[in-house]
């Protein structure tokens, strides 16, 4: 899922981008309406759009897109959180409105809700062997039977499934699991991987995790 973040506050844009990436979304950032228009030559699955931008109001872009018949889900972000402003945003064609300051968790929940409403579930399910991972609900099933996986194991599995058959670096996995503060112990990632391996085996998954010494891990089909 590709998400375009249109936000001129660089640090905030960076936090949003990082949050989205660590939850399995591909994120691009535009700092102005001009940059956003250029990037929108490519399709996106959702937009997160600030209102006060250096070259205009984010609502102009929303109106333009809707006038062109583009129905991409749009979440407006803004310091203008007054009811009147909310209404004008929604009337212009935005799907949801999140006043600043907001928590990144709330932002993520709103984005997921927008995607859930706008698209069929099929595109949001990762599949490898007999394992399926629903990226909206963070649930795992093996042979179409629900399988109980812990939060960390789901995050780890999701990152590996997004690149099945390719090595995923330890650093990237540690960032996804533990954020910028890093893991609380040196072997935390190894422990998490060990747990995930056991869960996959327990549920008779037809995929396994290969350790690529010193580099990272790779998910591959075993049957
Ligand atoms: Ca702004």
């Amino acid at each position: 899922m590709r998400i375009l973040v249109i936000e001129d506050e660089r640090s905030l844009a960076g936090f949003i981008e990082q949050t989205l990436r660590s939850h399995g979304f591909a994120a691009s950032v535009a700092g102005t309406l001009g940059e956003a228009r250029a990037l929108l030559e490519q399709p996106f699955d959702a937009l997160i759009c600030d209102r006060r931008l250096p070259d205009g109001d984010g609502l102009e872009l929303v109106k333009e897109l809707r006038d062109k018949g583009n129905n991409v889900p749009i979440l407006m972000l803004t310091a203008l959180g007054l009811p009147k402003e909310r209404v004008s945003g929604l009337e212009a064609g935005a799907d949801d409105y999140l006043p600043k300051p907001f928590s990144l968790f709330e932002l993520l929940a709103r984005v997921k809700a927008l995607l859930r409403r706008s698209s069929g579930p099929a595109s949001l399910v990762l599949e490898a062997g007999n394992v399926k991972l629903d990226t909206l609900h963070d649930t795992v099933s093996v042979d179409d039977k629900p399988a109980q996986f812990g939060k960390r194991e789901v995050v780890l599995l999701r990152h590996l499934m997004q690149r099945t058959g390719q090595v995923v670096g330890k650093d990237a996995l540690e960032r996804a699991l533990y954020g910028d503060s890093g893991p609380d112990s040196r072997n935390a990632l190894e422990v998490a991987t060990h747990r995930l391996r056991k869960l996959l085996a327990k549920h008779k998954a037809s995929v396994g995790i290969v350790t690529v010494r010193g580099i990272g891990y790779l998910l591959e089909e075993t049957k």
Side-chain angles (χ1 to χ4, degrees), residues 83-108:
K84 199 177 73 184
E85 307 293 345
R86 270 185 64 109
V87 171
S88 62
L90 296 172
E91 277 178 348
D95 298 278
D96 198 2
Y97 206 95
L98 188 58
K100 293 178 183 175
F102 51 83
S103 81
L104 290 169
F105 288 108
E106 179 164 18
L107 174 85
L108 193 65

Side-chain angles (χ1 to χ4, degrees), residues 41-81:
E41 299 290 316
Q42 308 286 322
F44 283 90
D45 297 295
L47 265 55
I48 296 173
C49 186
D50 187 29
R51 279 200 60 177
R52 286 183 186 163
L53 292 158
D55 52 350
D57 187 332
L59 279 191
E60 293 168 31
L61 182 68
V62 176
K63 284 184 197 144
E64 274 168 37
L65 290 170
R66 297 311 186 221
D67 286 348
K68 281 192 277 183
N70 186 330
N71 286 322
V72 63
I74 301 175
L75 173 64
M76 295 303 295
L77 294 182
T78 187
L80 306 171

Side-chain angles (χ1 to χ4, degrees), residues 186-204:
R186 273 189 67 183
N187 66 345
L189 179 61
E190 273 170 58
V191 173
T193 308
H194 177 69
R195 262 196 235 118
L196 179 55
R197 278 191 174 118
K198 277 174 70 176
L199 281 165
L200 290 170
K202 180 182 156 194
H203 292 283
K204 302 196 169 50

Side-chain angles (χ1 to χ4, degrees), residues 11-22:
S11 59
L12 178 59
F15 285 131
I16 296 173
E17 185 185 13
Q18 205 179 356
T19 302
L20 292 170
R21 287 206 174 144
S22 70

Side-chain angles (χ1 to χ4, degrees), residues 10-218:
R10 274 169 189 257
S11 59
L12 178 59
F15 285 131
I16 296 173
E17 185 185 13
Q18 205 179 356
T19 302
L20 292 170
R21 287 206 174 144
S22 70
H23 286 82
F25 296 101
S28 305
V29 174
T32 61
L33 291 175
E35 277 174 39
R37 286 185 187 108
L39 285 168
L40 279 162
E41 299 290 316
Q42 308 286 322
F44 283 90
D45 297 295
L47 265 55
I48 296 173
C49 186
D50 187 29
R51 279 200 60 177
R52 286 183 186 163
L53 292 158
D55 52 350
D57 187 332
L59 279 191
E60 293 168 31
L61 182 68
V62 176
K63 284 184 197 144
E64 274 168 37
L65 290 170
R66 297 311 186 221
D67 286 348
K68 281 192 277 183
N70 186 330
N71 286 322
V72 63
I74 301 175
L75 173 64
M76 295 303 295
L77 294 182
T78 187
L80 306 171
L82 300 170
K84 199 177 73 184
E85 307 293 345
R86 270 185 64 109
V87 171
S88 62
L90 296 172
E91 277 178 348
D95 298 278
D96 198 2
Y97 206 95
L98 188 58
K100 293 178 183 175
F102 51 83
S103 81
L104 290 169
F105 288 108
E106 179 164 18
L107 174 85
L108 193 65
R110 300 276 192 112
V111 168
K112 286 186 172 185
L114 280 188
L115 291 169
R116 210 155 32 221
R117 271 181 261 154
S118 73
S119 59
S123 60
L124 301 169
V125 175
L126 297 171
E127 212 172 332
N130 61 353
V131 179
K132 285 183 188 152
L133 194 156
D134 177 330
T135 59
L136 276 185
H137 303 95
D138 276 348
T139 52
V140 179
S141 63
V142 181
D143 277 329
D144 291 319
K145 287 191 287 268
Q148 206 64 46
F149 278 54
K151 231 178 171 175
R152 276 205 173 138
E153 286 77 42
V154 172
V155 173
L156 187 54
L157 182 61
R158 191 178 60 218
H159 280 261
L160 293 170
M161 282 180 80
Q162 274 162 350
R163 290 164 66 188
T164 300
Q166 295 174 48
V167 183
V168 185
K170 280 168 81 170
D171 289 353
L173 292 172
E174 281 181 345
R175 257 200 314 278
L177 282 172
Y178 310 105
D180 273 345
S181 53
D184 28 13
S185 70
R186 273 189 67 183
N187 66 345
L189 179 61
E190 273 170 58
V191 173
T193 308
H194 177 69
R195 262 196 235 118
L196 179 55
R197 278 191 174 118
K198 277 174 70 176
L199 281 165
L200 290 170
K202 180 182 156 194
H203 292 283
K204 302 196 169 50
S206 66
V207 294
I209 301 168
V210 178
T211 305
V212 184
R213 208 160 284 285
I215 300 175
Y217 297 95
L218 167 162

